[in-house]
């Protein structure tokens, strides 16, 4: 997979202001406002910035946290995990491995009935869903 490297100016041309804030500045969309929070559509979720496949709908589950939740990425190399000590706590940030865009955070051991016991809590604005028929 080839890395996508662009300047902030190039990203600002490609992305909306909200997409830029979340994807490139590690922002967070407000809970329960994203377009994919309650989506049940079968398909593939890709990075909104570069188009890399990140998650599949068969790993999406209802966590009722306010953001789309997945129990694993479609391929382990699709995302990178980085320790995040912002906001006065230690979390694990999830980024697109291709373009280094911020996607959200992953939490482990919360007791959800999923095969991995992981919750990839991902901003809708970081994703683009392509339905599969």
């Amino acid at each position: 997979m080839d890395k996508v490297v662009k300047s902030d100016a190039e990203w600002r041309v490609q992305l909306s202001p909200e997409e830029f804030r979340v994807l490139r500045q590690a922002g967070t969309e407000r809970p329960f406002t994203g377009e994919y929070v309650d989506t049940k559509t079968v398909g593939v979720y890709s990075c909104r910035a570069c188009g890399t496949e990140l998650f599949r709908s068969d790993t999406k589950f209802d966590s009722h946290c306010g953001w789309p939740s997945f129990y694993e990425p479609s391929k382990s190399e699709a995302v990178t995990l980085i320790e995040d000590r912002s906001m006065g706590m230690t979390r694990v940030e999830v980024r697109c491995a291709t373009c280094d865009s911020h996607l959200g955070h992953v939490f482990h051991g919360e007791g959800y009935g999923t095969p991995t016991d992981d919750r990839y809590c991902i901003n809708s604005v970081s994703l683009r869903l392509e339905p599969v028929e």
Side-chain angles (χ1 to χ4, degrees), residues 5-95:
V5 179
K6 296 182 180 184
S7 68
D8 278 353
E10 291 171 307
W11 284 121
R12 284 184 193 279
V13 168
Q14 177 184 331
L15 303 170
S16 73
E18 178 67 359
E19 290 167 348
F20 184 84
R21 185 184 72 78
V22 173
L23 288 158
R24 305 309 305 167
Q25 297 178 319
T28 302
E29 66 190 355
R30 290 184 338 222
F32 302 103
T33 63
E35 66 181 304
Y36 301 130
V37 174
D38 297 318
T39 300
K40 305 287 188 224
T41 304
V42 175
V44 174
Y45 290 87
S46 299
C47 177
R48 193 168 296 218
C50 73
T52 296
E53 180 180 321
L54 300 171
F55 300 95
R56 293 189 169 250
S57 60
D58 59 354
T59 66
K60 188 173 187 285
F61 68 100
D62 291 326
S63 67
H64 308 287
C65 70
W67 296 272
S69 296
F70 304 85
Y71 62 79
E72 67 184 356
S74 55
K75 297 177 185 168
S76 61
E77 65 271 11
V79 299
T80 54
L81 305 179
I82 299 165
E83 185 175 282
D84 176 2
R85 293 183 174 266
S86 66
M87 316 250 327
M89 63 183 95
T90 301
R91 302 178 293 173
V92 178
E93 180 185 6
V94 182
R95 290 188 189 176

Side-chain angles (χ1 to χ4, degrees), residues 111-133:
Y112 288 102
T114 64
T116 62
D117 202 17
D118 287 338
R119 175 173 59 95
Y120 285 79
C121 183
I122 307 298
N123 292 286
S124 287
V125 75
S126 297
L127 302 171
R128 181 162 283 120
L129 172 60
E130 182 166 332
V132 174
E133 297 176 21

Side-chain angles (χ1 to χ4, degrees), residues 90-108:
T90 301
R91 302 178 293 173
V92 178
E93 180 185 6
V94 182
R95 290 188 189 176
C96 174
T98 302
C99 69
D100 204 35
S101 287
H102 173 76
L103 304 172
H105 290 86
V106 63
F107 303 92
H108 181 73

